[in-house]
Amino acid sequence: MRQYLYELITLLGEDKKKLPWLLILFFLVSFLDIAGIGLIGPYVSIVIEPDLAKDIIAKHVSWIKIPSDVNSLLMIMSILLLGIFFIKTISGIWINYIIVRFSEDQKIWFERMLEKKWI
């Protein structure tokens, strides 16, 4: 396994410096997916029991001013949830574009190297 990874990294040449950044981006998009899914539970609890959720938020996060109106709280949480999913989607598309572009650049480089070797 170690030999295989060594050969793979050797084949990447100068682009091997991009691998740590690509891994960081990959983990970032995974973290955003987990965060987006994790926010659905609190949102559903606000929809089902708004007063209980409001008390829990007030108890744990005292620096946030919570609106007294349940509809206002629900509207704020809806906008927050939609905003986070929008950011998650846009960043996921951007990160996937970067990863695909890196893969395509590697494919082109390998094709050119093989053409040179066979000609």
Side-chain angles (χ1 to χ4, degrees):
M1 179 72 170
R2 184 175 288 189
Q3 181 67 25
Y4 175 73
L5 288 175
Y6 176 76
E7 290 174 5
L8 182 64
I9 291 174
T10 304
L11 282 173
L12 289 175
E14 289 296 317
D15 284 339
K16 67 183 170 189
K17 295 175 185 175
K18 295 179 183 177
L19 279 180
W21 296 109
L22 290 173
L23 286 173
I24 289 170
L25 290 175
F26 181 75
F27 284 120
L28 178 66
V29 79
S30 299
F31 175 75
L32 288 172
D33 285 337
I34 291 170
I37 292 170
L39 288 173
I40 293 174
Y43 180 75
V44 170
S45 70
I46 289 175
V47 170
I48 293 173
E49 297 253 354
D51 294 328
L52 179 63
K54 186 173 149 186
D55 293 340
I56 290 172
I57 292 171
K59 179 180 169 185
H60 292 291
V61 189
S62 60
W63 53 272
I64 294 178
K65 183 172 169 43
I66 299 169
S68 59
D69 183 23
V70 175
N71 290 332
S72 298
L73 177 64
L74 190 58
M75 181 62 75
I76 290 170
M77 286 299 291
S78 298
I79 292 170
L80 179 68
L81 188 65
L82 285 173
I84 289 174
F85 270 100
F86 179 75
I87 291 169
K88 180 185 85 67
T89 302
I90 296 300
S91 62
I93 290 169
W94 178 69
I95 290 170
N96 283 331
Y97 169 76
I98 290 173
I99 292 171
V100 168
R101 191 179 72 198
F102 175 78
S103 301
E104 286 294 319
D105 290 343
Q106 290 302 309
K107 183 184 109 179
I108 291 169
W109 185 79
F110 285 136
E111 287 174 352
R112 287 183 183 159
M113 293 305 292
L114 286 173
E115 284 176 4
K116 287 180 183 179
K117 191 169 189 165
W118 291 105
I119 293 179

